[in-house]
Amino acid sequence: MAESLSTILHREVVVTASTGVRWKEITVYTGASASTLQDIKVPESCGGYCYRGAEGTGLENSPVRNRFIYWRANDDTLELVEQSLDVNLSGNHVRYRFQDTPILNGISVHEARNSLVILVPTVASVHRLVFPHPLKLDKREARFATDTSPLSIFYDATVATATDAKNMHMLNPSGSITAHLLTAATHVTSDGEALFILATDAGGIIQVKMPALGVQGVVQQHELSQSSMMQKLWNGLVPVLIRGVQQDAGTATGIVIHSIHGEDFIFCVCRDHKLRMWSAKTRECILAYNLLDFLSSRDQSLPPVTSTSGHVIKKVINPQNNSFQLCVHLTFPDQNQFCLVKPVYNDSRFNIQHQATVFGPLEDLVDYCVTSDKLYTLWTSQSGETISRVAIIAGADSDDTESWVEVLLQPQEVADILIPSFRDPRDVYLERIFHPGRFSSQDLLKALNVYRRSLDTGLQAESIVSMSNLREEVVSAVESEIRNCALDVEMQEEDYYQLQLEQWSKFYSCCIQYQEVGAKVKGLFSDSVTGLVCLIRKGSVSYVRPCDKLEELYYLPQSQLSNADLEELQLPTDDWSLGQDVMKLCECVRDISSEMTEELSTQFHTEAGMFESPEDVVSPMVDALFFPPGGDSLLATDVGDRLEEIHNLVSALRVLLKILDLSNQEEDFMLDDSAVDASRQLSCSQLFTSSSSSTILAVCLEQMCTTRLSFCRDLLVLQVAAIKLGDQHGLRPEVASVVREDLIPLTASLIQSYLLLVWASQSVVIGNQNTALEFNVRQLAALEISDTTNVTSSKSNLPSVTLAELFIQGMGGAQGRSMLAQIPSIDYRSKAVWAQHLVPLVRTLAKIIWPMCDNFLFPEFLVGSCQYLHLQEYVRLLSSWCEWNVASRRFLLGLCYLHFDEPQKAAQCFTQAGSGVGNETFLSQKLLQTDEDEFHKMEVLYYLKVIRQFEEFNLPEMVIHLAKTAIGAASEDDENLATLWSKVFKYHLELGHNEDAYEAMIANPEPSRRKDCLRQLLVVLCERGDLQALVEFPYIDLQDEVVNILESRARSVDLATHNYYNLLYSFHIYRNNFRKAGHVMYEHGMRLGRELPGVKGLQRQAQCYLASLNALRLVRPEYAWIVKPVSMSKYSEVSDDEEEPGISPKHGLDGAEKEAHGLTRKMEILELLDIEKEYILVDARLRLIRRNPDPSLASGPTPGPDEMVGLLVNSGLFDRAIIVAKYFNLTLNTVFENLALRCVHLAKGSNYFMIGDNDQTSEAWDWLQENHFNAGTVQRDKSAADQAWTLLQSYLSSYEDKTTRYHRCVSEKLLSHGFALPTWFINTYKELNCAELLRVYIDYDLLEEAAALATEYIHAVTDTLAGVDRIMFDLKGCRLNAQCVWLPYVCIDQLLAALHDHQEQITYKKIYEDLKQTVTRYQDRVERDSQNLSRT
């Protein structure tokens, strides 16, 4: 049997809907006459039904577990509500209005295979409402696999189904009614037929039978007949509805229907105190039993009852054996009693067998319901107060009304609120009004409308308004009323305070009045299977739960506690006397509780929550209760007497403290989750998971914790009082010492723990914006301490709930159900879900929040739901006394400070929490999630987690601080040291602390991390432009790495945007490494030439080459060389070209290893001259571009020397062309040819009087100005042609050598264009090589010039024979023994031959003769001189 079935004490759990309910309205027109029915009044009725589940499937796996229907009938309106404690149902509220037809008592609910039937009797008709069964809906939802809330059976309710002719029947279609129906009963037979039994005030009983669903037939209406022939005849002739009203003692006041052995029987309790049994089949009365026989010493001739309520009958079904009993409430003027009887069938007839009698109090019974062992009743006292009582049906007559135990109902709100002097009344009243579960939104809307004195506000009672909007409306209304009352005059602060207090109190009174109206109890219902008991109120439904044993010990007197209650205390031994001591101790606690005033209780809670020691708080309370200043205290006397009767006070106190300590209450949890059966886990995982169940669990948790806190408080008062009472009541000194030193501190710790649980149950969740929630999720993801699926939302627009309720809705409820599944004593297959599973689940939830244990789930939940203000309060409440999870709480407090932008405090908390990483489960397992067991390494891992939080908040200073703290705590071989130093480096660098960043980098013990940091340092300093610091750092043993990194960066980045080569150059120059500096700048220039086209690229390339030259010139000459850089891509391309596809690069076809010649890279050495040559080409290209801005000149590779000379010459840059040619050992033929040609063109296009008057000469002046090498300053008073000839003359004088190749080149170019050789040219040519000039003349057929030159040259030679110098021909006079001169005889012979051939011309003939004579004279002279020489 269930654990709680032995529990006699019950407590109400009120669940108030924070938001409004949407009702589906359906109106049914029955056809009855409104004028006829308007005078018929029937009492309100209500009831409930719990699903039985499908046959063959246990409730543990059924969608109907914890699912029930309750209804309220008032006049012609029927409200149906389907509720589930496991899931949230959609569309579960429907309201039927049977137009002008009041509804009778007797509504019943019946389950069919695929449908659920509700039978509704009215004063003029009967109705059968048909809905789909939840099992059918569950199959449909499973087929469509929707993620929405499950549908209620009322979701698809329509007017069409309610007005179907097959499911409704008019009792008297004619409309003439003289007899009124008083009560009714309904039933569905085994054949599926709907059976309606209706009792009239004339004593008649009408039976209406509808065919089964889906079966064709007609509705049958009969009147149940008496057994006499005349009565049958009268009833048959005149229907009861038109027979008239006849006061009959046999009028039924209560009816039930039940099937026995397949036959339906009707049981009626009548005004004449008789129980009549009718057969629905034969429509005859088969039994009439006088219930007065059950009265002891009572006159058997009592008159019939005339009260409006009369006797009431209900049937009782035992779920264990499915046995049937009847419970009849007999009411008399001076007493009332409940008789439990059972119909038995013996000797072919029925008889009534008495089972038990329970006498009730002298009060008015409102409603009652019966289970197999308990009787739940609802009474109205003489003062109008509603009282609920429970009695255990013992099976025997009991005349002791003390066997009744009152249900602890929710007390009504009081209008007077104690407002502290330091608080604003507005804040106090708003907290009170909008506290979760205190007032419904409908009550607040009604109160608001009344307070405003107008209903035309746009907010009706049926409106769906969020609490946040409603709060604004209330504040606006009250503040407006305050302003109206102030009348725009200045008021004193005290007067304004009183006005404010008056208006808020007025509105609060309105709220209480409407709450009282909606909270009026109309009835109750219970379910014997699940143990569920509900009180149906006018505006809501509340639940009645069983209390745990500690609540019974606190609230029930010893007379109502049994030995079974002592056994459930789990005493250490079977010592009966110890159990009696515990009972007496509880009596003392109850005495103290009865004397505890509200002021003392409030004072205790206030001071205990302000870090006051509970012992110090209760000490003045003990003086006030036990030692009043006016004299002796009766309480002290009673408590002292009971203490004297206790044999072992210490043991009894330890028993109670053990029960109160949740951490010591072991439920035999299975340690291995794998041992939990899957079906068991699945069943418990869906238990009490709906939103209403979360509220129920939260309220139960608050009730249990509040009760236990009061118990602990009173127990502490008792202990302090016992010590103060001393020896006068038999308290030995050693006992007092144990109580003072051991038990009182333990009690104080329990008080502090329960204060925390009560705080969690009463504190309201603080709403958060979506951005804050999203950031919190990211923060927790970085910590990896909370799965995002378990993070419970606390958005600002959600209904206000308490922390405990939000915790239960999320991770707390899931954990509690998982722990519940691990309790072996929990029978998950039991159908008594409410009776057996609710209280253990609440205790499990309390254990999860309990602070004195390893469980740290509740603070995790506060972090996950972004409740940082509450988390701070949580830590504050525990900081002064709780020794559990100290470091973990400091860690979470650090998260709070971090969230509220107090990083210094957060860092301090995180540092303090680091000491607990080795011994606290949350920090070691949940936060770190590591198998490491060495403390120092765990501490380092902890700091890494913390550092990640500060990184999320972008707090580099704190990261550096914590990283250094972790470094100080780490061992030398810790593998995370490198990470910590990297953190220090990173954020020093981010803050611009270059020196500190450098030191952190150098201190990093891991080479790879050090290199990474070095790379980051170089890149960041480059981006910031802090190049001086970068260059001046010593780098110790990292110089090669610096170079490699900078080179890698330089070669990988775009030269147009980044310039790491200049940095490398400076780096090498700073360290006097000029060769590497030159190499770097040369590589830079080389890459610029390939990758950066355009003028700017060429300019930078030229600068790079110059810098390279300057650096190399600072090196000793023998070391002034570099290795030419070769790009890896080029080398790779060469290597790839050498490899044939499909052939191994290392082995031949025969397997022999190939030589590695193909993989070697040819090294090229560059000296200064080589670099200068490249610079000269680049410089020439720049000059070309400046001279001629042709885009093609700026793109593509740099031309070769030959091509460059040609380009320069074509552009008129003769000076630069000569320089290029000289560097590359090229001839100047191109230069002289082009310049000679330009001179010819200028000479032909100008004359002596024209100096730059046309385009040709203007262009000539442009290129002439670019060439002034050894030519002096360009003179504008000369013509362009003259200046060009002067330039040519200058070049010839400067660059001509002994070969006279340039004179020949110029002469040929001039003569080829028919231009006579200038005199100065001829003179210089004659001086250098007259013979060659002669050949040139002959080659171009200039016979006259050739003859003249030959003649002149022969004369000059002849003169030299005489010792005369001829400077024109660079001839010196010959002396004795001097070297002889020679003549170009071949050329002269050729000239003579040519002249001889043209003797027909007189000129040529004359020239021929003269030349011939000259040659002859020269020869004669030579011959003569030779002879003279030979003689000597």
Side-chain angles (χ1 to χ4, degrees), residues 67-83:
R67 191 163 175 171
F68 60 94
I69 298 172
Y70 68 91
W71 61 86
R72 288 183 291 264
N74 182 15
D75 196 27
D76 63 348
T77 302
L78 173 63
E79 295 180 349
L80 294 171
V81 180
E82 185 183 21
Q83 193 74 25

mmCIF file with all atom_site columns, all heavy atoms in Angstrom, residues 67-83:
data_model
loop_
_atom_site.group_PDB
_atom_site.id
_atom_site.type_symbol
_atom_site.label_atom_id
_atom_site.label_alt_id
_atom_site.label_comp_id
_atom_site.label_asym_id
_atom_site.label_entity_id
_atom_site.label_seq_id
_atom_site.pdbx_PDB_ins_code
_atom_site.Cartn_x
_atom_site.Cartn_y
_atom_site.Cartn_z
_atom_site.occupancy
_atom_site.B_iso_or_equiv
_atom_site.pdbx_formal_charge
_atom_site.auth_seq_id
_atom_site.auth_comp_id
_atom_site.auth_asym_id
_atom_site.auth_atom_id
_atom_site.pdbx_PDB_model_num
ATOM 1   N N   . ARG A 1 67 ? -4.024  12.641 -15.108 1.00 0.00 ? 67 ARG A N   1
ATOM 2   C CA  . ARG A 1 67 ? -4.903  13.438 -15.965 1.00 0.00 ? 67 ARG A CA  1
ATOM 3   C C   . ARG A 1 67 ? -6.329  13.274 -15.465 1.00 0.00 ? 67 ARG A C   1
ATOM 4   O O   . ARG A 1 67 ? -6.781  12.148 -15.224 1.00 0.00 ? 67 ARG A O   1
ATOM 5   C CB  . ARG A 1 67 ? -4.774  12.977 -17.409 1.00 0.00 ? 67 ARG A CB  1
ATOM 6   C CG  . ARG A 1 67 ? -5.418  13.874 -18.452 1.00 0.00 ? 67 ARG A CG  1
ATOM 7   C CD  . ARG A 1 67 ? -4.857  13.532 -19.811 1.00 0.00 ? 67 ARG A CD  1
ATOM 8   N NE  . ARG A 1 67 ? -5.501  14.252 -20.897 1.00 0.00 ? 67 ARG A NE  1
ATOM 9   C CZ  . ARG A 1 67 ? -5.066  14.239 -22.158 1.00 0.00 ? 67 ARG A CZ  1
ATOM 10  N NH1 . ARG A 1 67 ? -3.991  13.550 -22.465 1.00 0.00 ? 67 ARG A NH1 1
ATOM 11  N NH2 . ARG A 1 67 ? -5.703  14.915 -23.102 1.00 0.00 ? 67 ARG A NH2 1
ATOM 12  N N   . PHE A 1 68 ? -7.033  14.363 -15.334 1.00 0.00 ? 68 PHE A N   1
ATOM 13  C CA  . PHE A 1 68 ? -8.382  14.294 -14.771 1.00 0.00 ? 68 PHE A CA  1
ATOM 14  C C   . PHE A 1 68 ? -9.229  15.417 -15.347 1.00 0.00 ? 68 PHE A C   1
ATOM 15  O O   . PHE A 1 68 ? -8.721  16.346 -15.991 1.00 0.00 ? 68 PHE A O   1
ATOM 16  C CB  . PHE A 1 68 ? -8.352  14.376 -13.243 1.00 0.00 ? 68 PHE A CB  1
ATOM 17  C CG  . PHE A 1 68 ? -7.745  15.638 -12.702 1.00 0.00 ? 68 PHE A CG  1
ATOM 18  C CD1 . PHE A 1 68 ? -8.533  16.732 -12.374 1.00 0.00 ? 68 PHE A CD1 1
ATOM 19  C CD2 . PHE A 1 68 ? -6.370  15.750 -12.524 1.00 0.00 ? 68 PHE A CD2 1
ATOM 20  C CE1 . PHE A 1 68 ? -7.982  17.895 -11.888 1.00 0.00 ? 68 PHE A CE1 1
ATOM 21  C CE2 . PHE A 1 68 ? -5.809  16.912 -12.034 1.00 0.00 ? 68 PHE A CE2 1
ATOM 22  C CZ  . PHE A 1 68 ? -6.615  17.994 -11.711 1.00 0.00 ? 68 PHE A CZ  1
ATOM 23  N N   . ILE A 1 69 ? -10.527 15.298 -15.095 1.00 0.00 ? 69 ILE A N   1
ATOM 24  C CA  . ILE A 1 69 ? -11.516 16.295 -15.535 1.00 0.00 ? 69 ILE A CA  1
ATOM 25  C C   . ILE A 1 69 ? -12.288 16.736 -14.310 1.00 0.00 ? 69 ILE A C   1
ATOM 26  O O   . ILE A 1 69 ? -12.666 15.905 -13.469 1.00 0.00 ? 69 ILE A O   1
ATOM 27  C CB  . ILE A 1 69 ? -12.478 15.702 -16.575 1.00 0.00 ? 69 ILE A CB  1
ATOM 28  C CG1 . ILE A 1 69 ? -11.716 15.271 -17.836 1.00 0.00 ? 69 ILE A CG1 1
ATOM 29  C CG2 . ILE A 1 69 ? -13.575 16.694 -16.939 1.00 0.00 ? 69 ILE A CG2 1
ATOM 30  C CD1 . ILE A 1 69 ? -12.571 14.510 -18.822 1.00 0.00 ? 69 ILE A CD1 1
ATOM 31  N N   . TYR A 1 70 ? -12.495 18.027 -14.203 1.00 0.00 ? 70 TYR A N   1
ATOM 32  C CA  . TYR A 1 70 ? -13.394 18.514 -13.156 1.00 0.00 ? 70 TYR A CA  1
ATOM 33  C C   . TYR A 1 70 ? -14.378 19.497 -13.791 1.00 0.00 ? 70 TYR A C   1
ATOM 34  O O   . TYR A 1 70 ? -14.115 20.073 -14.850 1.00 0.00 ? 70 TYR A O   1
ATOM 35  C CB  . TYR A 1 70 ? -12.634 19.145 -11.997 1.00 0.00 ? 70 TYR A CB  1
ATOM 36  C CG  . TYR A 1 70 ? -11.935 20.444 -12.299 1.00 0.00 ? 70 TYR A CG  1
ATOM 37  C CD1 . TYR A 1 70 ? -12.574 21.670 -12.101 1.00 0.00 ? 70 TYR A CD1 1
ATOM 38  C CD2 . TYR A 1 70 ? -10.624 20.463 -12.767 1.00 0.00 ? 70 TYR A CD2 1
ATOM 39  C CE1 . TYR A 1 70 ? -11.932 22.869 -12.373 1.00 0.00 ? 70 TYR A CE1 1
ATOM 40  C CE2 . TYR A 1 70 ? -9.972  21.654 -13.034 1.00 0.00 ? 70 TYR A CE2 1
ATOM 41  C CZ  . TYR A 1 70 ? -10.634 22.858 -12.831 1.00 0.00 ? 70 TYR A CZ  1
ATOM 42  O OH  . TYR A 1 70 ? -9.998  24.039 -13.092 1.00 0.00 ? 70 TYR A OH  1
ATOM 43  N N   . TRP A 1 71 ? -15.521 19.636 -13.117 1.00 0.00 ? 71 TRP A N   1
ATOM 44  C CA  . TRP A 1 71 ? -16.572 20.486 -13.670 1.00 0.00 ? 71 TRP A CA  1
ATOM 45  C C   . TRP A 1 71 ? -17.260 21.264 -12.564 1.00 0.00 ? 71 TRP A C   1
ATOM 46  O O   . TRP A 1 71 ? -17.212 20.890 -11.376 1.00 0.00 ? 71 TRP A O   1
ATOM 47  C CB  . TRP A 1 71 ? -17.600 19.650 -14.444 1.00 0.00 ? 71 TRP A CB  1
ATOM 48  C CG  . TRP A 1 71 ? -18.304 18.614 -13.601 1.00 0.00 ? 71 TRP A CG  1
ATOM 49  C CD1 . TRP A 1 71 ? -19.415 18.775 -12.842 1.00 0.00 ? 71 TRP A CD1 1
ATOM 50  C CD2 . TRP A 1 71 ? -17.901 17.254 -13.437 1.00 0.00 ? 71 TRP A CD2 1
ATOM 51  N NE1 . TRP A 1 71 ? -19.757 17.615 -12.223 1.00 0.00 ? 71 TRP A NE1 1
ATOM 52  C CE2 . TRP A 1 71 ? -18.841 16.659 -12.580 1.00 0.00 ? 71 TRP A CE2 1
ATOM 53  C CE3 . TRP A 1 71 ? -16.860 16.481 -13.949 1.00 0.00 ? 71 TRP A CE3 1
ATOM 54  C CZ2 . TRP A 1 71 ? -18.755 15.319 -12.198 1.00 0.00 ? 71 TRP A CZ2 1
ATOM 55  C CZ3 . TRP A 1 71 ? -16.779 15.164 -13.580 1.00 0.00 ? 71 TRP A CZ3 1
ATOM 56  C CH2 . TRP A 1 71 ? -17.715 14.587 -12.719 1.00 0.00 ? 71 TRP A CH2 1
ATOM 57  N N   . ARG A 1 72 ? -17.887 22.348 -12.988 1.00 0.00 ? 72 ARG A N   1
ATOM 58  C CA  . ARG A 1 72 ? -18.710 23.184 -12.121 1.00 0.00 ? 72 ARG A CA  1
ATOM 59  C C   . ARG A 1 72 ? -20.006 23.479 -12.856 1.00 0.00 ? 72 ARG A C   1
ATOM 60  O O   . ARG A 1 72 ? -19.966 23.867 -14.032 1.00 0.00 ? 72 ARG A O   1
ATOM 61  C CB  . ARG A 1 72 ? -18.010 24.500 -11.755 1.00 0.00 ? 72 ARG A CB  1
ATOM 62  C CG  . ARG A 1 72 ? -16.871 24.381 -10.798 1.00 0.00 ? 72 ARG A CG  1
ATOM 63  C CD  . ARG A 1 72 ? -16.319 25.773 -10.452 1.00 0.00 ? 72 ARG A CD  1
ATOM 64  N NE  . ARG A 1 72 ? -15.658 26.380 -11.586 1.00 0.00 ? 72 ARG A NE  1
ATOM 65  C CZ  . ARG A 1 72 ? -14.344 26.339 -11.790 1.00 0.00 ? 72 ARG A CZ  1
ATOM 66  N NH1 . ARG A 1 72 ? -13.573 25.715 -10.927 1.00 0.00 ? 72 ARG A NH1 1
ATOM 67  N NH2 . ARG A 1 72 ? -13.814 26.921 -12.843 1.00 0.00 ? 72 ARG A NH2 1
ATOM 68  N N   . ALA A 1 73 ? -21.121 23.280 -12.189 1.00 0.00 ? 73 ALA A N   1
ATOM 69  C CA  . ALA A 1 73 ? -22.435 23.557 -12.781 1.00 0.00 ? 73 ALA A CA  1
ATOM 70  C C   . ALA A 1 73 ? -23.132 24.610 -11.938 1.00 0.00 ? 73 ALA A C   1
ATOM 71  O O   . ALA A 1 73 ? -23.325 24.430 -10.729 1.00 0.00 ? 73 ALA A O   1
ATOM 72  C CB  . ALA A 1 73 ? -23.273 22.291 -12.849 1.00 0.00 ? 73 ALA A CB  1
ATOM 73  N N   . ASN A 1 74 ? -23.495 25.693 -12.577 1.00 0.00 ? 74 ASN A N   1
ATOM 74  C CA  . ASN A 1 74 ? -24.181 26.784 -11.892 1.00 0.00 ? 74 ASN A CA  1
ATOM 75  C C   . ASN A 1 74 ? -25.318 27.248 -12.790 1.00 0.00 ? 74 ASN A C   1
ATOM 76  O O   . ASN A 1 74 ? -25.081 27.760 -13.891 1.00 0.00 ? 74 ASN A O   1
ATOM 77  C CB  . ASN A 1 74 ? -23.210 27.926 -11.609 1.00 0.00 ? 74 ASN A CB  1
ATOM 78  C CG  . ASN A 1 74 ? -23.879 29.069 -10.860 1.00 0.00 ? 74 ASN A CG  1
ATOM 79  O OD1 . ASN A 1 74 ? -24.968 28.919 -10.319 1.00 0.00 ? 74 ASN A OD1 1
ATOM 80  N ND2 . ASN A 1 74 ? -23.214 30.210 -10.842 1.00 0.00 ? 74 ASN A ND2 1
ATOM 81  N N   . ASP A 1 75 ? -26.546 26.988 -12.305 1.00 0.00 ? 75 ASP A N   1
ATOM 82  C CA  . ASP A 1 75 ? -27.740 27.321 -13.076 1.00 0.00 ? 75 ASP A CA  1
ATOM 83  C C   . ASP A 1 75 ? -27.676 26.563 -14.412 1.00 0.00 ? 75 ASP A C   1
ATOM 84  O O   . ASP A 1 75 ? -27.650 25.346 -14.424 1.00 0.00 ? 75 ASP A O   1
ATOM 85  C CB  . ASP A 1 75 ? -27.856 28.821 -13.254 1.00 0.00 ? 75 ASP A CB  1
ATOM 86  C CG  . ASP A 1 75 ? -29.262 29.232 -13.700 1.00 0.00 ? 75 ASP A CG  1
ATOM 87  O OD1 . ASP A 1 75 ? -30.214 28.491 -13.387 1.00 0.00 ? 75 ASP A OD1 1
ATOM 88  O OD2 . ASP A 1 75 ? -29.384 30.265 -14.372 1.00 0.00 ? 75 ASP A OD2 1
ATOM 89  N N   . ASP A 1 76 ? -27.636 27.268 -15.541 1.00 0.00 ? 76 ASP A N   1
ATOM 90  C CA  . ASP A 1 76 ? -27.656 26.568 -16.822 1.00 0.00 ? 76 ASP A CA  1
ATOM 91  C C   . ASP A 1 76 ? -26.270 26.507 -17.474 1.00 0.00 ? 76 ASP A C   1
ATOM 92  O O   . ASP A 1 76 ? -26.155 26.208 -18.653 1.00 0.00 ? 76 ASP A O   1
ATOM 93  C CB  . ASP A 1 76 ? -28.642 27.255 -17.776 1.00 0.00 ? 76 ASP A CB  1
ATOM 94  C CG  . ASP A 1 76 ? -28.229 28.691 -18.089 1.00 0.00 ? 76 ASP A CG  1
ATOM 95  O OD1 . ASP A 1 76 ? -27.330 29.212 -17.401 1.00 0.00 ? 76 ASP A OD1 1
ATOM 96  O OD2 . ASP A 1 76 ? -28.804 29.289 -19.026 1.00 0.00 ? 76 ASP A OD2 1
ATOM 97  N N   . THR A 1 77 ? -25.227 26.791 -16.715 1.00 0.00 ? 77 THR A N   1
ATOM 98  C CA  . THR A 1 77 ? -23.871 26.821 -17.262 1.00 0.00 ? 77 THR A CA  1
ATOM 99  C C   . THR A 1 77 ? -23.052 25.680 -16.683 1.00 0.00 ? 77 THR A C   1
ATOM 100 O O   . THR A 1 77 ? -23.022 25.466 -15.458 1.00 0.00 ? 77 THR A O   1
ATOM 101 C CB  . THR A 1 77 ? -23.189 28.165 -16.948 1.00 0.00 ? 77 THR A CB  1
ATOM 102 O OG1 . THR A 1 77 ? -23.976 29.222 -17.494 1.00 0.00 ? 77 THR A OG1 1
ATOM 103 C CG2 . THR A 1 77 ? -21.791 28.209 -17.565 1.00 0.00 ? 77 THR A CG2 1
ATOM 104 N N   . LEU A 1 78 ? -22.376 24.979 -17.580 1.00 0.00 ? 78 LEU A N   1
ATOM 105 C CA  . LEU A 1 78 ? -21.503 23.871 -17.180 1.00 0.00 ? 78 LEU A CA  1
ATOM 106 C C   . LEU A 1 78 ? -20.087 24.183 -17.667 1.00 0.00 ? 78 LEU A C   1
ATOM 107 O O   . LEU A 1 78 ? -19.849 24.377 -18.864 1.00 0.00 ? 78 LEU A O   1
ATOM 108 C CB  . LEU A 1 78 ? -21.984 22.552 -17.803 1.00 0.00 ? 78 LEU A CB  1
ATOM 109 C CG  . LEU A 1 78 ? -21.056 21.339 -17.608 1.00 0.00 ? 78 LEU A CG  1
ATOM 110 C CD1 . LEU A 1 78 ? -20.919 20.994 -16.129 1.00 0.00 ? 78 LEU A CD1 1
ATOM 111 C CD2 . LEU A 1 78 ? -21.567 20.140 -18.406 1.00 0.00 ? 78 LEU A CD2 1
ATOM 112 N N   . GLU A 1 79 ? -19.148 24.261 -16.742 1.00 0.00 ? 79 GLU A N   1
ATOM 113 C CA  . GLU A 1 79 ? -17.743 24.490 -17.064 1.00 0.00 ? 79 GLU A CA  1
ATOM 114 C C   . GLU A 1 79 ? -16.982 23.185 -16.928 1.00 0.00 ? 79 GLU A C   1
ATOM 115 O O   . GLU A 1 79 ? -17.013 22.552 -15.862 1.00 0.00 ? 79 GLU A O   1
ATOM 116 C CB  . GLU A 1 79 ? -17.138 25.556 -16.143 1.00 0.00 ? 79 GLU A CB  1
ATOM 117 C CG  . GLU A 1 79 ? -17.745 26.929 -16.332 1.00 0.00 ? 79 GLU A CG  1
ATOM 118 C CD  . GLU A 1 79 ? -17.123 27.960 -15.405 1.00 0.00 ? 79 GLU A CD  1
ATOM 119 O OE1 . GLU A 1 79 ? -16.377 27.561 -14.485 1.00 0.00 ? 79 GLU A OE1 1
ATOM 120 O OE2 . GLU A 1 79 ? -17.390 29.162 -15.596 1.00 0.00 ? 79 GLU A OE2 1
ATOM 121 N N   . LEU A 1 80 ? -16.336 22.789 -18.011 1.00 0.00 ? 80 LEU A N   1
ATOM 122 C CA  . LEU A 1 80 ? -15.545 21.560 -18.032 1.00 0.00 ? 80 LEU A CA  1
ATOM 123 C C   . LEU A 1 80 ? -14.080 21.923 -18.229 1.00 0.00 ? 80 LEU A C   1
ATOM 124 O O   . LEU A 1 80 ? -13.737 22.698 -19.130 1.00 0.00 ? 80 LEU A O   1
ATOM 125 C CB  . LEU A 1 80 ? -16.008 20.641 -19.170 1.00 0.00 ? 80 LEU A CB  1
ATOM 126 C CG  . LEU A 1 80 ? -17.409 20.050 -19.060 1.00 0.00 ? 80 LEU A CG  1
ATOM 127 C CD1 . LEU A 1 80 ? -17.789 19.346 -20.355 1.00 0.00 ? 80 LEU A CD1 1
ATOM 128 C CD2 . LEU A 1 80 ? -17.493 19.078 -17.892 1.00 0.00 ? 80 LEU A CD2 1
ATOM 129 N N   . VAL A 1 81 ? -13.241 21.354 -17.403 1.00 0.00 ? 81 VAL A N   1
ATOM 130 C CA  . VAL A 1 81 ? -11.799 21.609 -17.483 1.00 0.00 ? 81 VAL A CA  1
ATOM 131 C C   . VAL A 1 81 ? -11.082 20.272 -17.420 1.00 0.00 ? 81 VAL A C   1
ATOM 132 O O   . VAL A 1 81 ? -11.345 19.455 -16.523 1.00 0.00 ? 81 VAL A O   1
ATOM 133 C CB  . VAL A 1 81 ? -11.308 22.517 -16.337 1.00 0.00 ? 81 VAL A CB  1
ATOM 134 C CG1 . VAL A 1 81 ? -9.800  22.750 -16.450 1.00 0.00 ? 81 VAL A CG1 1
ATOM 135 C CG2 . VAL A 1 81 ? -12.063 23.834 -16.336 1.00 0.00 ? 81 VAL A CG2 1
ATOM 136 N N   . GLU A 1 82 ? -10.211 20.058 -18.390 1.00 0.00 ? 82 GLU A N   1
ATOM 137 C CA  . GLU A 1 82 ? -9.350  18.873 -18.353 1.00 0.00 ? 82 GLU A CA  1
ATOM 138 C C   . GLU A 1 82 ? -7.958  19.314 -17.915 1.00 0.00 ? 82 GLU A C   1
ATOM 139 O O   . GLU A 1 82 ? -7.388  20.253 -18.476 1.00 0.00 ? 82 GLU A O   1
ATOM 140 C CB  . GLU A 1 82 ? -9.276  18.195 -19.717 1.00 0.00 ? 82 GLU A CB  1
ATOM 141 C CG  . GLU A 1 82 ? -8.481  16.890 -19.666 1.00 0.00 ? 82 GLU A CG  1
ATOM 142 C CD  . GLU A 1 82 ? -8.324  16.242 -21.036 1.00 0.00 ? 82 GLU A CD  1
ATOM 143 O OE1 . GLU A 1 82 ? -8.463  16.968 -22.039 1.00 0.00 ? 82 GLU A OE1 1
ATOM 144 O OE2 . GLU A 1 82 ? -8.045  15.038 -21.091 1.00 0.00 ? 82 GLU A OE2 1
ATOM 145 N N   . GLN A 1 83 ? -7.432  18.641 -16.938 1.00 0.00 ? 83 GLN A N   1
ATOM 146 C CA  . GLN A 1 83 ? -6.141  19.020 -16.372 1.00 0.00 ? 83 GLN A CA  1
ATOM 147 C C   . GLN A 1 83 ? -5.212  17.817 -16.386 1.00 0.00 ? 83 GLN A C   1
ATOM 148 O O   . GLN A 1 83 ? -5.633  16.679 -16.187 1.00 0.00 ? 83 GLN A O   1
ATOM 149 C CB  . GLN A 1 83 ? -6.325  19.527 -14.931 1.00 0.00 ? 83 GLN A CB  1
ATOM 150 C CG  . GLN A 1 83 ? -5.135  20.233 -14.350 1.00 0.00 ? 83 GLN A CG  1
ATOM 151 C CD  . GLN A 1 83 ? -4.937  21.614 -14.924 1.00 0.00 ? 83 GLN A CD  1
ATOM 152 O OE1 . GLN A 1 83 ? -5.882  22.239 -15.389 1.00 0.00 ? 83 GLN A OE1 1
ATOM 153 N NE2 . GLN A 1 83 ? -3.715  22.088 -14.937 1.00 0.00 ? 83 GLN A NE2 1
#
